[in-house]
Amino acid sequence: MGRRHHRPLIEPELFAQVQDVLARRHRGTRDQTWKHYLKGLMWCARCEGRRVFEPARSQDGRPHFYYRCINRQGGECDLPRFRLTVIEHAVEAHCATIAVTETERAEVRAALREALDAQLSTTKALRQRLRTEMTRLDSREDAYLELVGDLNWPKEKLTKKMREINLERQLDTVPSTN
Ligand SMILES: [Zn+2]
């Protein structure tokens, strides 16, 4: 009587899954995609190989980053890898030496405005198209709803049509502003 049944606190499979996630996390940042504004913009001065962004983790698990020459891995290039902060400061210092003329400034500004306008009008056009599509679906729905009153209209067919309309509506998701 009262024999206790000792069940594990968590199921073995779940335990294994958790261990797996923890191990992966510990291994580093490989599964994660990091963004950095200098990615793909730097080349090695020694071998002209690409400089790649390299995430790493310190002993206490905090991420830190490097840029290294892609050819360093195979031992073909001996350029040391640089800490991100070192690279960023160097790039900033270099940028400070670049003089931008008023003409260049105006050109960049115009190009930016053009790119933004293009993006904006694409979004606008897309929304307009979706709105038209929604209106079309609405009026089709109205037409079918009117048929509900008609006793001769096959009900299954009508249900199927309505389902199709709703499906199409779900496919047309209006994007939010951006
Ligand atoms: Zn190199």
Side-chain angles (χ1 to χ4, degrees):
M1 221 211 315
R3 196 163 63 110
R4 279 229 187 110
H5 193 74
H6 285 279
R7 279 176 51 202
L9 284 173
I10 61 170
E11 298 303 321
E13 289 120 79
L14 179 62
F15 182 74
Q17 273 172 25
V18 170
Q19 291 300 309
D20 190 44
V21 169
L22 288 176
R24 227 180 303 151
R25 236 179 241 175
H26 188 72
R27 267 206 302 280
T29 47
R30 219 150 274 213
D31 303 345
Q32 214 168 341
T33 320
W34 299 91
K35 285 190 174 136
H36 189 255
Y37 71 102
L38 290 172
K39 251 185 177 180
L41 292 177
M42 290 184 294
W43 284 264
C44 177
R46 289 190 190 167
C47 74
E48 294 179 358
R50 267 164 65 90
R51 287 277 199 89
V52 293
F53 190 64
E54 187 175 67
R57 261 185 208 285
S58 55
Q59 296 261 310
D60 59 2
R62 271 183 304 180
H64 55 101
F65 307 93
Y66 296 94
Y67 269 104
R68 67 163 172 83
C69 173
I70 195 155
N71 294 322
R72 190 182 155 80
Q73 201 147 25
E76 292 160 48
C77 182
D78 59 358
L79 184 85
R81 58 179 194 170
F82 289 96
R83 276 221 176 227
L84 184 61
T85 44
V86 174
I87 294 280
E88 281 173 346
H89 288 151
V91 168
E92 274 168 35
H94 175 68
C95 287
T97 67
I98 303 171
V100 180
T101 66
E102 197 46 56
T103 318
E104 286 166 334
R105 203 173 295 222
E107 274 171 18
V108 170
R109 201 176 292 144
L112 263 175
R113 180 145 302 154
E114 203 178 301
L116 277 172
D117 284 351
Q119 201 182 6
L120 220 71
S121 68
T122 308
T123 313
K124 242 184 213 162
L126 186 65
R127 289 176 147 225
Q128 186 51 52
R129 201 174 60 72
L130 287 170
R131 241 193 309 264
T132 312
E133 183 65 8
M134 282 297 186
T135 314
R136 189 182 67 82
L137 290 171
D138 274 349
S139 58
R140 248 171 73 194
E141 188 179 52
D142 285 347
Y144 289 135
L145 281 171
E146 264 168 46
L147 288 169
V148 180
D150 187 346
L151 292 174
N152 296 321
W153 184 267
K155 286 272 178 325
E156 304 87 59
K157 220 174 195 175
L158 195 57
T159 315
K160 190 166 159 273
K161 287 278 178 199
M162 293 299 263
R163 215 177 281 146
E164 278 168 16
I165 289 180
N166 278 323
L167 193 69
E168 279 184 60
R169 271 207 191 110
Q170 280 162 35
L171 293 175
D172 295 333
T173 324
V174 185
S176 57
T177 44
N178 65 23

